[in-house]
Amino acid sequence: MPNSSSSPLLSVIIPGYNEEEVLPFLREKLDHVLGRLSVRSEVVLIDDGSRDRSAEIMREFARQDSRYKALLLSRNYGHQMAITAGLDHAAGDVVVVLDADLQDPPELIPEMLAKWKEGYQVVYGQRTTRQGDSWAKKVTAGIFYRFIRRLSGVDIPRDAGDFRLMDRKVVDALKRMPEHHRFVRGMVAWAGFRQCPIFFERPPRKAGTTKYPWRKMFQFALDAIFAFSVIPLRISTGIGLLIMGFSMLEILWILYLRFILNITVKGYSSILIAILLLGGLNLLILGILGEYIGRIYIEAKNRPLYLVQEFVAHPSADQNS
Ligand code: UDP
Ligand code: MG
């Protein structure tokens, strides 16, 4: 245990990218919620290479209040890496990850802590409704989660984001997973331990705009699939076998026509179809192979996951890590 003093320490980890509009609201909410907890707490704010004043505001919070720490990354690494960096710098016996935009209500922290005290090591927020998320986002998210659960064989909870409480044991387990393409909610599900949901209505973003445009969401989905499953490779094998079987029959048929019936078929269409179909399929499967090879290459380079520009903690903050 990192802390020997009587009351456990809670670390609240909050990644932010261009969140200057919401940070003041976030602080107000956190001060209110954390002030009423029976446990000690620290807040690790992660600036994921923002271009606005987020980093300055976070630094300011850390100077004003010893509970706040600001971890400024050297550039934008993405949401999942920012969470990873926060987990690495958290000292708590128990950790809660939440979004900066107040879509993951800090008011639920006491309820999560109660579950933790009951003995659960992971408590994840499951959304009953998602106000403020577009119709298209809800539908694609629904399809994605059903798909990834099937593909990965890991029991990744539906309708749950990265809003979760994790025991120190789980955080240490995550730290032992060195992969570069990180799908944190999948990694936590993979880790196992005693998990339980709490249900909440997801409110709309408090201020500012989404930092997940379609491009990033698509990337996120691909990362999840390729990081958690080799089934796309098996699908390629399956398609290959199917086409091979079909080709065998076709070859027998052609030989029969040629040598038994002595008919030579002109077959322009069938040749063109075969060329186009197989050409396209070849490229597709090469692409799938390429995704995995690219990932092997990135892992083989073994670069650090992220670089830290600055870690700002109040001079009086108790350093446990
Ligand atoms: N975020 C981040 N780095 C990024 C993109 C997003 O740290 O490159 C943070 C963002 O500041 C927010 C959280 O990830 O705290 C979730 O992002 P957002 O609310 O924009 O996503 P949405 O709720 O729209 O899916
Ligand atoms: Mg949000």
Side-chain angles (χ1 to χ4, degrees):
M1 288 298 239
N3 288 290
S4 48
S5 36
S6 54
S7 124
L9 177 70
L10 163 74
S11 301
V12 183
I13 292 175
I14 310 176
Y17 175 54
N18 295 340
E19 298 287 11
E20 60 181 5
E21 295 101 327
V22 289
L23 286 175
F25 295 110
L26 177 73
R27 168 97 190 258
E28 199 186 308
K29 209 28 139 332
L30 283 173
D31 283 347
H32 179 78
V33 171
L34 299 181
R36 282 151 198 253
L37 293 179
S38 55
V39 298
R40 294 175 303 133
S41 55
E42 65 164 9
V43 178
V44 182
L45 299 164
I46 303 102
D47 173 54
D48 189 18
S50 300
R51 290 160 199 275
D52 65 359
R53 292 192 57 250
S54 298
E56 280 155 64
I57 298 171
M58 289 179 184
R59 208 187 266 128
E60 190 71 13
F61 287 0
R63 287 212 191 97
Q64 289 166 351
D65 185 335
S66 62
R67 217 162 33 191
Y68 286 81
K69 287 159 192 178
L71 179 65
L72 314 180
L73 300 184
S74 65
R75 64 170 171 85
N76 180 244
Y77 288 90
H79 182 208
Q80 302 292 300
M81 206 53 91
I83 292 176
T84 304
L87 290 173
D88 290 345
H89 288 78
D93 304 294
V94 58
V95 163
V96 171
V97 178
L98 48 90
D99 283 356
D101 60 2
L102 292 175
Q103 284 197 286
D104 301 334
E107 298 92 305
L108 294 174
I109 292 177
E111 198 182 323
M112 291 178 141
L113 279 173
K115 289 279 185 197
W116 178 64
K117 285 181 180 158
E118 271 175 40
Y120 289 102
Q121 288 152 309
V122 175
V123 184
Y124 53 89
Q126 201 155 26
R127 306 147 179 171
T128 51
T129 60
R130 302 171 63 144
Q131 303 163 26
D133 282 338
S134 69
W135 178 86
K137 183 154 184 165
K138 284 181 214 171
V139 172
T140 49
I143 296 170
F144 170 71
Y145 283 106
R146 269 146 202 80
F147 194 59
I148 187 76
R149 283 165 63 88
R150 278 274 178 96
L151 280 181
S152 65
V154 175
D155 194 14
I156 300 170
R158 276 176 206 175
D159 302 318
D162 288 310
F163 182 29
R164 17 170 95 47
L165 170 146
M166 289 180 266
D167 184 81
R168 167 56 47 191
K169 273 211 175 98
V170 182
V171 176
D172 287 343
L174 287 180
K175 283 195 191 178
R176 290 175 54 200
M177 301 185 203
E179 59 231 60
H180 285 72
H181 290 274
R182 302 179 81 80
F183 179 53
V184 175
R185 59 198 77 164
M187 292 160 70
V188 177
W190 179 89
F193 295 100
R194 284 189 294 279
Q195 309 216 0
C196 79
I198 59 164
F199 298 95
F200 74 108
E201 290 188 9
R202 193 158 213 241
R205 176 179 254 285
K206 177 82 183 168
T209 52
T210 178
K211 306 302 175 301
Y212 262 100
W214 286 104
R215 180 181 53 78
K216 271 195 196 170
M217 271 202 293
F218 188 64
Q219 185 64 44
F220 180 69
L222 283 185
D223 272 350
I225 292 168
F226 289 113
F228 267 82
S229 176
V230 288
I231 288 181
L233 290 173
R234 292 207 193 120
I235 293 174
S236 316
T237 316
I239 296 175
L241 284 174
L242 205 78
I243 290 185
M244 231 171 72
F246 181 74
S247 312
M248 289 297 185
L249 293 178
E250 180 74 11
I251 288 168
L252 289 177
W253 175 239
I254 290 168
L255 290 178
Y256 175 72
L257 289 179
R258 176 70 188 79
F259 292 109
I260 313 292
L261 302 184
N262 241 335
I263 306 172
T264 46
V265 183
K266 292 238 171 67
Y268 169 74
S269 321
S270 51
I271 288 176
L272 208 65
I273 289 172
I275 289 176
L276 293 180
L277 183 74
L278 291 181
L281 214 67
N282 269 324
L283 288 180
L284 180 74
I285 290 171
L286 264 181
I288 292 177
L289 265 179
E291 282 290 340
Y292 288 96
I293 294 174
R295 273 148 223 267
I296 296 170
Y297 170 61
I298 286 168
E299 296 298 343
K301 281 199 284 190
N302 201 18
R303 292 204 177 147
L305 297 180
Y306 56 86
L307 297 174
V308 175
Q309 168 97 276
E310 199 181 336
F311 186 48
V312 192
H314 197 274
S316 75
D318 45 333
Q319 293 291 311
N320 298 297
S321 48

mmCIF file with all atom_site columns, all heavy atoms in Angstrom, residues 254-273:
data_model
loop_
_atom_site.group_PDB
_atom_site.id
_atom_site.type_symbol
_atom_site.label_atom_id
_atom_site.label_alt_id
_atom_site.label_comp_id
_atom_site.label_asym_id
_atom_site.label_entity_id
_atom_site.label_seq_id
_atom_site.pdbx_PDB_ins_code
_atom_site.Cartn_x
_atom_site.Cartn_y
_atom_site.Cartn_z
_atom_site.occupancy
_atom_site.B_iso_or_equiv
_atom_site.pdbx_formal_charge
_atom_site.auth_seq_id
_atom_site.auth_comp_id
_atom_site.auth_asym_id
_atom_site.auth_atom_id
_atom_site.pdbx_PDB_model_num
ATOM 1   N N   . ILE A 1 254 ? -14.766 -25.833 -65.795 1.00 0.00 ? 254 ILE A N   1
ATOM 2   C CA  . ILE A 1 254 ? -14.128 -25.344 -67.024 1.00 0.00 ? 254 ILE A CA  1
ATOM 3   C C   . ILE A 1 254 ? -13.422 -26.489 -67.768 1.00 0.00 ? 254 ILE A C   1
ATOM 4   O O   . ILE A 1 254 ? -13.523 -26.626 -68.991 1.00 0.00 ? 254 ILE A O   1
ATOM 5   C CB  . ILE A 1 254 ? -13.120 -24.213 -66.700 1.00 0.00 ? 254 ILE A CB  1
ATOM 6   C CG1 . ILE A 1 254 ? -13.903 -22.959 -66.260 1.00 0.00 ? 254 ILE A CG1 1
ATOM 7   C CG2 . ILE A 1 254 ? -12.243 -23.868 -67.900 1.00 0.00 ? 254 ILE A CG2 1
ATOM 8   C CD1 . ILE A 1 254 ? -13.043 -21.894 -65.659 1.00 0.00 ? 254 ILE A CD1 1
ATOM 9   N N   . LEU A 1 255 ? -12.725 -27.349 -66.981 1.00 0.00 ? 255 LEU A N   1
ATOM 10  C CA  . LEU A 1 255 ? -12.032 -28.481 -67.608 1.00 0.00 ? 255 LEU A CA  1
ATOM 11  C C   . LEU A 1 255 ? -13.031 -29.421 -68.289 1.00 0.00 ? 255 LEU A C   1
ATOM 12  O O   . LEU A 1 255 ? -12.798 -29.925 -69.396 1.00 0.00 ? 255 LEU A O   1
ATOM 13  C CB  . LEU A 1 255 ? -11.218 -29.259 -66.553 1.00 0.00 ? 255 LEU A CB  1
ATOM 14  C CG  . LEU A 1 255 ? -9.994  -28.515 -66.023 1.00 0.00 ? 255 LEU A CG  1
ATOM 15  C CD1 . LEU A 1 255 ? -9.289  -29.349 -64.945 1.00 0.00 ? 255 LEU A CD1 1
ATOM 16  C CD2 . LEU A 1 255 ? -9.015  -28.183 -67.153 1.00 0.00 ? 255 LEU A CD2 1
ATOM 17  N N   . TYR A 1 256 ? -14.144 -29.623 -67.615 1.00 0.00 ? 256 TYR A N   1
ATOM 18  C CA  . TYR A 1 256 ? -15.202 -30.470 -68.163 1.00 0.00 ? 256 TYR A CA  1
ATOM 19  C C   . TYR A 1 256 ? -15.700 -29.902 -69.506 1.00 0.00 ? 256 TYR A C   1
ATOM 20  O O   . TYR A 1 256 ? -15.809 -30.621 -70.506 1.00 0.00 ? 256 TYR A O   1
ATOM 21  C CB  . TYR A 1 256 ? -16.341 -30.557 -67.133 1.00 0.00 ? 256 TYR A CB  1
ATOM 22  C CG  . TYR A 1 256 ? -17.568 -31.302 -67.614 1.00 0.00 ? 256 TYR A CG  1
ATOM 23  C CD1 . TYR A 1 256 ? -17.553 -32.693 -67.760 1.00 0.00 ? 256 TYR A CD1 1
ATOM 24  C CD2 . TYR A 1 256 ? -18.746 -30.610 -67.911 1.00 0.00 ? 256 TYR A CD2 1
ATOM 25  C CE1 . TYR A 1 256 ? -18.688 -33.369 -68.182 1.00 0.00 ? 256 TYR A CE1 1
ATOM 26  C CE2 . TYR A 1 256 ? -19.875 -31.285 -68.333 1.00 0.00 ? 256 TYR A CE2 1
ATOM 27  C CZ  . TYR A 1 256 ? -19.839 -32.667 -68.472 1.00 0.00 ? 256 TYR A CZ  1
ATOM 28  O OH  . TYR A 1 256 ? -20.957 -33.329 -68.901 1.00 0.00 ? 256 TYR A OH  1
ATOM 29  N N   . LEU A 1 257 ? -15.965 -28.587 -69.491 1.00 0.00 ? 257 LEU A N   1
ATOM 30  C CA  . LEU A 1 257 ? -16.430 -27.938 -70.732 1.00 0.00 ? 257 LEU A CA  1
ATOM 31  C C   . LEU A 1 257 ? -15.391 -28.071 -71.843 1.00 0.00 ? 257 LEU A C   1
ATOM 32  O O   . LEU A 1 257 ? -15.697 -28.376 -72.989 1.00 0.00 ? 257 LEU A O   1
ATOM 33  C CB  . LEU A 1 257 ? -16.702 -26.447 -70.484 1.00 0.00 ? 257 LEU A CB  1
ATOM 34  C CG  . LEU A 1 257 ? -17.922 -26.086 -69.640 1.00 0.00 ? 257 LEU A CG  1
ATOM 35  C CD1 . LEU A 1 257 ? -18.024 -24.577 -69.479 1.00 0.00 ? 257 LEU A CD1 1
ATOM 36  C CD2 . LEU A 1 257 ? -19.190 -26.638 -70.284 1.00 0.00 ? 257 LEU A CD2 1
ATOM 37  N N   . ARG A 1 258 ? -14.125 -27.858 -71.473 1.00 0.00 ? 258 ARG A N   1
ATOM 38  C CA  . ARG A 1 258 ? -13.059 -27.798 -72.475 1.00 0.00 ? 258 ARG A CA  1
ATOM 39  C C   . ARG A 1 258 ? -12.774 -29.180 -73.088 1.00 0.00 ? 258 ARG A C   1
ATOM 40  O O   . ARG A 1 258 ? -12.717 -29.330 -74.302 1.00 0.00 ? 258 ARG A O   1
ATOM 41  C CB  . ARG A 1 258 ? -11.803 -27.217 -71.810 1.00 0.00 ? 258 ARG A CB  1
ATOM 42  C CG  . ARG A 1 258 ? -10.562 -27.175 -72.668 1.00 0.00 ? 258 ARG A CG  1
ATOM 43  C CD  . ARG A 1 258 ? -10.709 -26.136 -73.773 1.00 0.00 ? 258 ARG A CD  1
ATOM 44  N NE  . ARG A 1 258 ? -9.619  -26.193 -74.742 1.00 0.00 ? 258 ARG A NE  1
ATOM 45  C CZ  . ARG A 1 258 ? -9.519  -27.077 -75.718 1.00 0.00 ? 258 ARG A CZ  1
ATOM 46  N NH1 . ARG A 1 258 ? -10.424 -28.024 -75.841 1.00 0.00 ? 258 ARG A NH1 1
ATOM 47  N NH2 . ARG A 1 258 ? -8.510  -27.049 -76.579 1.00 0.00 ? 258 ARG A NH2 1
ATOM 48  N N   . PHE A 1 259 ? -12.595 -30.191 -72.185 1.00 0.00 ? 259 PHE A N   1
ATOM 49  C CA  . PHE A 1 259 ? -12.102 -31.481 -72.701 1.00 0.00 ? 259 PHE A CA  1
ATOM 50  C C   . PHE A 1 259 ? -13.193 -32.505 -72.978 1.00 0.00 ? 259 PHE A C   1
ATOM 51  O O   . PHE A 1 259 ? -13.041 -33.363 -73.816 1.00 0.00 ? 259 PHE A O   1
ATOM 52  C CB  . PHE A 1 259 ? -11.049 -32.057 -71.735 1.00 0.00 ? 259 PHE A CB  1
ATOM 53  C CG  . PHE A 1 259 ? -9.797  -31.235 -71.721 1.00 0.00 ? 259 PHE A CG  1
ATOM 54  C CD1 . PHE A 1 259 ? -9.459  -30.464 -70.624 1.00 0.00 ? 259 PHE A CD1 1
ATOM 55  C CD2 . PHE A 1 259 ? -8.954  -31.202 -72.840 1.00 0.00 ? 259 PHE A CD2 1
ATOM 56  C CE1 . PHE A 1 259 ? -8.307  -29.691 -70.625 1.00 0.00 ? 259 PHE A CE1 1
ATOM 57  C CE2 . PHE A 1 259 ? -7.808  -30.431 -72.836 1.00 0.00 ? 259 PHE A CE2 1
ATOM 58  C CZ  . PHE A 1 259 ? -7.471  -29.666 -71.735 1.00 0.00 ? 259 PHE A CZ  1
ATOM 59  N N   . ILE A 1 260 ? -14.264 -32.460 -72.243 1.00 0.00 ? 260 ILE A N   1
ATOM 60  C CA  . ILE A 1 260 ? -15.326 -33.447 -72.463 1.00 0.00 ? 260 ILE A CA  1
ATOM 61  C C   . ILE A 1 260 ? -16.300 -32.952 -73.523 1.00 0.00 ? 260 ILE A C   1
ATOM 62  O O   . ILE A 1 260 ? -16.598 -33.630 -74.500 1.00 0.00 ? 260 ILE A O   1
ATOM 63  C CB  . ILE A 1 260 ? -16.072 -33.792 -71.158 1.00 0.00 ? 260 ILE A CB  1
ATOM 64  C CG1 . ILE A 1 260 ? -15.090 -34.059 -70.008 1.00 0.00 ? 260 ILE A CG1 1
ATOM 65  C CG2 . ILE A 1 260 ? -17.043 -34.968 -71.372 1.00 0.00 ? 260 ILE A CG2 1
ATOM 66  C CD1 . ILE A 1 260 ? -14.252 -35.317 -70.164 1.00 0.00 ? 260 ILE A CD1 1
ATOM 67  N N   . LEU A 1 261 ? -16.798 -31.720 -73.300 1.00 0.00 ? 261 LEU A N   1
ATOM 68  C CA  . LEU A 1 261 ? -17.783 -31.206 -74.253 1.00 0.00 ? 261 LEU A CA  1
ATOM 69  C C   . LEU A 1 261 ? -17.133 -30.430 -75.414 1.00 0.00 ? 261 LEU A C   1
ATOM 70  O O   . LEU A 1 261 ? -17.814 -30.020 -76.338 1.00 0.00 ? 261 LEU A O   1
ATOM 71  C CB  . LEU A 1 261 ? -18.806 -30.302 -73.543 1.00 0.00 ? 261 LEU A CB  1
ATOM 72  C CG  . LEU A 1 261 ? -19.588 -30.945 -72.394 1.00 0.00 ? 261 LEU A CG  1
ATOM 73  C CD1 . LEU A 1 261 ? -20.626 -29.973 -71.852 1.00 0.00 ? 261 LEU A CD1 1
ATOM 74  C CD2 . LEU A 1 261 ? -20.268 -32.226 -72.835 1.00 0.00 ? 261 LEU A CD2 1
ATOM 75  N N   . ASN A 1 262 ? -15.821 -30.196 -75.246 1.00 0.00 ? 262 ASN A N   1
ATOM 76  C CA  . ASN A 1 262 ? -15.094 -29.462 -76.278 1.00 0.00 ? 262 ASN A CA  1
ATOM 77  C C   . ASN A 1 262 ? -15.628 -28.048 -76.573 1.00 0.00 ? 262 ASN A C   1
ATOM 78  O O   . ASN A 1 262 ? -15.612 -27.582 -77.693 1.00 0.00 ? 262 ASN A O   1
ATOM 79  C CB  . ASN A 1 262 ? -15.104 -30.261 -77.583 1.00 0.00 ? 262 ASN A CB  1
ATOM 80  C CG  . ASN A 1 262 ? -13.673 -30.582 -77.979 1.00 0.00 ? 262 ASN A CG  1
ATOM 81  O OD1 . ASN A 1 262 ? -12.748 -29.867 -77.587 1.00 0.00 ? 262 ASN A OD1 1
ATOM 82  N ND2 . ASN A 1 262 ? -13.493 -31.636 -78.751 1.00 0.00 ? 262 ASN A ND2 1
ATOM 83  N N   . ILE A 1 263 ? -16.098 -27.399 -75.511 1.00 0.00 ? 263 ILE A N   1
ATOM 84  C CA  . ILE A 1 263 ? -16.597 -26.023 -75.681 1.00 0.00 ? 263 ILE A CA  1
ATOM 85  C C   . ILE A 1 263 ? -15.590 -25.062 -75.055 1.00 0.00 ? 263 ILE A C   1
ATOM 86  O O   . ILE A 1 263 ? -15.143 -25.270 -73.932 1.00 0.00 ? 263 ILE A O   1
ATOM 87  C CB  . ILE A 1 263 ? -17.951 -25.818 -74.954 1.00 0.00 ? 263 ILE A CB  1
ATOM 88  C CG1 . ILE A 1 263 ? -18.965 -26.868 -75.400 1.00 0.00 ? 263 ILE A CG1 1
ATOM 89  C CG2 . ILE A 1 263 ? -18.481 -24.398 -75.152 1.00 0.00 ? 263 ILE A CG2 1
ATOM 90  C CD1 . ILE A 1 263 ? -20.242 -26.861 -74.596 1.00 0.00 ? 263 ILE A CD1 1
ATOM 91  N N   . THR A 1 264 ? -15.178 -24.040 -75.733 1.00 0.00 ? 264 THR A N   1
ATOM 92  C CA  . THR A 1 264 ? -14.387 -22.978 -75.108 1.00 0.00 ? 264 THR A CA  1
ATOM 93  C C   . THR A 1 264 ? -15.308 -21.778 -74.917 1.00 0.00 ? 264 THR A C   1
ATOM 94  O O   . THR A 1 264 ? -15.904 -21.279 -75.865 1.00 0.00 ? 264 THR A O   1
ATOM 95  C CB  . THR A 1 264 ? -13.171 -22.577 -75.966 1.00 0.00 ? 264 THR A CB  1
ATOM 96  O OG1 . THR A 1 264 ? -13.637 -22.438 -77.292 1.00 0.00 ? 264 THR A OG1 1
ATOM 97  C CG2 . THR A 1 264 ? -12.091 -23.596 -75.885 1.00 0.00 ? 264 THR A CG2 1
ATOM 98  N N   . VAL A 1 265 ? -15.398 -21.354 -73.684 1.00 0.00 ? 265 VAL A N   1
ATOM 99  C CA  . VAL A 1 265 ? -16.322 -20.262 -73.358 1.00 0.00 ? 265 VAL A CA  1
ATOM 100 C C   . VAL A 1 265 ? -15.609 -18.934 -73.523 1.00 0.00 ? 265 VAL A C   1
ATOM 101 O O   . VAL A 1 265 ? -14.455 -18.783 -73.147 1.00 0.00 ? 265 VAL A O   1
ATOM 102 C CB  . VAL A 1 265 ? -16.830 -20.421 -71.908 1.00 0.00 ? 265 VAL A CB  1
ATOM 103 C CG1 . VAL A 1 265 ? -17.852 -19.341 -71.583 1.00 0.00 ? 265 VAL A CG1 1
ATOM 104 C CG2 . VAL A 1 265 ? -17.434 -21.797 -71.726 1.00 0.00 ? 265 VAL A CG2 1
ATOM 105 N N   . LYS A 1 266 ? -16.307 -17.933 -74.032 1.00 0.00 ? 266 LYS A N   1
ATOM 106 C CA  . LYS A 1 266 ? -15.671 -16.622 -74.238 1.00 0.00 ? 266 LYS A CA  1
ATOM 107 C C   . LYS A 1 266 ? -15.376 -15.929 -72.907 1.00 0.00 ? 266 LYS A C   1
ATOM 108 O O   . LYS A 1 266 ? -14.337 -15.384 -72.695 1.00 0.00 ? 266 LYS A O   1
ATOM 109 C CB  . LYS A 1 266 ? -16.569 -15.764 -75.129 1.00 0.00 ? 266 LYS A CB  1
ATOM 110 C CG  . LYS A 1 266 ? -16.626 -16.309 -76.553 1.00 0.00 ? 266 LYS A CG  1
ATOM 111 C CD  . LYS A 1 266 ? -16.167 -15.245 -77.538 1.00 0.00 ? 266 LYS A CD  1
ATOM 112 C CE  . LYS A 1 266 ? -16.010 -15.829 -78.937 1.00 0.00 ? 266 LYS A CE  1
ATOM 113 N NZ  . LYS A 1 266 ? -17.298 -16.247 -79.540 1.00 0.00 ? 266 LYS A NZ  1
ATOM 114 N N   . GLY A 1 267 ? -16.353 -15.891 -72.034 1.00 0.00 ? 267 GLY A N   1
ATOM 115 C CA  . GLY A 1 267 ? -16.155 -15.517 -70.624 1.00 0.00 ? 267 GLY A CA  1
ATOM 116 C C   . GLY A 1 267 ? -15.489 -14.193 -70.300 1.00 0.00 ? 267 GLY A C   1
ATOM 117 O O   . GLY A 1 267 ? -14.687 -14.122 -69.370 1.00 0.00 ? 267 GLY A O   1
ATOM 118 N N   . TYR A 1 268 ? -15.801 -13.135 -71.021 1.00 0.00 ? 268 TYR A N   1
ATOM 119 C CA  . TYR A 1 268 ? -15.218 -11.823 -70.685 1.00 0.00 ? 268 TYR A CA  1
ATOM 120 C C   . TYR A 1 268 ? -15.646 -11.378 -69.291 1.00 0.00 ? 268 TYR A C   1
ATOM 121 O O   . TYR A 1 268 ? -14.824 -10.988 -68.458 1.00 0.00 ? 268 TYR A O   1
ATOM 122 C CB  . TYR A 1 268 ? -15.660 -10.798 -71.741 1.00 0.00 ? 268 TYR A CB  1
ATOM 123 C CG  . TYR A 1 268 ? -15.361 -9.368  -71.372 1.00 0.00 ? 268 TYR A CG  1
ATOM 124 C CD1 . TYR A 1 268 ? -14.043 -8.887  -71.437 1.00 0.00 ? 268 TYR A CD1 1
ATOM 125 C CD2 . TYR A 1 268 ? -16.372 -8.513  -70.962 1.00 0.00 ? 268 TYR A CD2 1
ATOM 126 C CE1 . TYR A 1 268 ? -13.775 -7.580  -71.094 1.00 0.00 ? 268 TYR A CE1 1
ATOM 127 C CE2 . TYR A 1 268 ? -16.101 -7.212  -70.609 1.00 0.00 ? 268 TYR A CE2 1
ATOM 128 C CZ  . TYR A 1 268 ? -14.804 -6.739  -70.679 1.00 0.00 ? 268 TYR A CZ  1
ATOM 129 O OH  . TYR A 1 268 ? -14.522 -5.462  -70.349 1.00 0.00 ? 268 TYR A OH  1
ATOM 130 N N   . SER A 1 269 ? -16.957 -11.458 -69.037 1.00 0.00 ? 269 SER A N   1
ATOM 131 C CA  . SER A 1 269 ? -17.491 -10.967 -67.756 1.00 0.00 ? 269 SER A CA  1
ATOM 132 C C   . SER A 1 269 ? -16.903 -11.736 -66.589 1.00 0.00 ? 269 SER A C   1
ATOM 133 O O   . SER A 1 269 ? -16.464 -11.139 -65.599 1.00 0.00 ? 269 SER A O   1
ATOM 134 C CB  . SER A 1 269 ? -19.007 -11.110 -67.713 1.00 0.00 ? 269 SER A CB  1
ATOM 135 O OG  . SER A 1 269 ? -19.551 -10.797 -68.949 1.00 0.00 ? 269 SER A OG  1
ATOM 136 N N   . SER A 1 270 ? -16.862 -13.062 -66.710 1.00 0.00 ? 270 SER A N   1
ATOM 137 C CA  . SER A 1 270 ? -16.395 -13.824 -65.548 1.00 0.00 ? 270 SER A CA  1
ATOM 138 C C   . SER A 1 270 ? -14.927 -13.525 -65.258 1.00 0.00 ? 270 SER A C   1
ATOM 139 O O   . SER A 1 270 ? -14.521 -13.428 -64.102 1.00 0.00 ? 270 SER A O   1
ATOM 140 C CB  . SER A 1 270 ? -16.617 -15.314 -65.758 1.00 0.00 ? 270 SER A CB  1
ATOM 141 O OG  . SER A 1 270 ? -16.073 -15.695 -66.991 1.00 0.00 ? 270 SER A OG  1
ATOM 142 N N   . ILE A 1 271 ? -14.138 -13.319 -66.283 1.00 0.00 ? 271 ILE A N   1
ATOM 143 C CA  . ILE A 1 271 ? -12.719 -12.999 -66.060 1.00 0.00 ? 271 ILE A CA  1
ATOM 144 C C   . ILE A 1 271 ? -12.576 -11.646 -65.382 1.00 0.00 ? 271 ILE A C   1
ATOM 145 O O   . ILE A 1 271 ? -11.849 -11.483 -64.402 1.00 0.00 ? 271 ILE A O   1
ATOM 146 C CB  . ILE A 1 271 ? -11.947 -13.019 -67.398 1.00 0.00 ? 271 ILE A CB  1
ATOM 147 C CG1 . ILE A 1 271 ? -11.801 -14.468 -67.858 1.00 0.00 ? 271 ILE A CG1 1
ATOM 148 C CG2 . ILE A 1 271 ? -10.567 -12.387 -67.240 1.00 0.00 ? 271 ILE A CG2 1
ATOM 149 C CD1 . ILE A 1 271 ? -11.145 -14.606 -69.202 1.00 0.00 ? 271 ILE A CD1 1
ATOM 150 N N   . LEU A 1 272 ? -13.329 -10.676 -65.883 1.00 0.00 ? 272 LEU A N   1
ATOM 151 C CA  . LEU A 1 272 ? -13.231 -9.345  -65.309 1.00 0.00 ? 272 LEU A CA  1
ATOM 152 C C   . LEU A 1 272 ? -13.687 -9.340  -63.851 1.00 0.00 ? 272 LEU A C   1
ATOM 153 O O   . LEU A 1 272 ? -13.041 -8.757  -62.981 1.00 0.00 ? 272 LEU A O   1
ATOM 154 C CB  . LEU A 1 272 ? -14.087 -8.369  -66.128 1.00 0.00 ? 272 LEU A CB  1
ATOM 155 C CG  . LEU A 1 272 ? -13.568 -6.948  -66.072 1.00 0.00 ? 272 LEU A CG  1
ATOM 156 C CD1 . LEU A 1 272 ? -12.200 -6.845  -66.735 1.00 0.00 ? 272 LEU A CD1 1
ATOM 157 C CD2 . LEU A 1 272 ? -14.543 -5.996  -66.742 1.00 0.00 ? 272 LEU A CD2 1
ATOM 158 N N   . ILE A 1 273 ? -14.792 -10.038 -63.601 1.00 0.00 ? 273 ILE A N   1
ATOM 159 C CA  . ILE A 1 273 ? -15.292 -10.107 -62.216 1.00 0.00 ? 273 ILE A CA  1
ATOM 160 C C   . ILE A 1 273 ? -14.236 -10.734 -61.316 1.00 0.00 ? 273 ILE A C   1
ATOM 161 O O   . ILE A 1 273 ? -13.934 -10.228 -60.235 1.00 0.00 ? 273 ILE A O   1
ATOM 162 C CB  . ILE A 1 273 ? -16.609 -10.905 -62.154 1.00 0.00 ? 273 ILE A CB  1
ATOM 163 C CG1 . ILE A 1 273 ? -17.731 -10.080 -62.801 1.00 0.00 ? 273 ILE A CG1 1
ATOM 164 C CG2 . ILE A 1 273 ? -16.973 -11.258 -60.710 1.00 0.00 ? 273 ILE A CG2 1
ATOM 165 C CD1 . ILE A 1 273 ? -19.030 -10.831 -62.972 1.00 0.00 ? 273 ILE A CD1 1
#
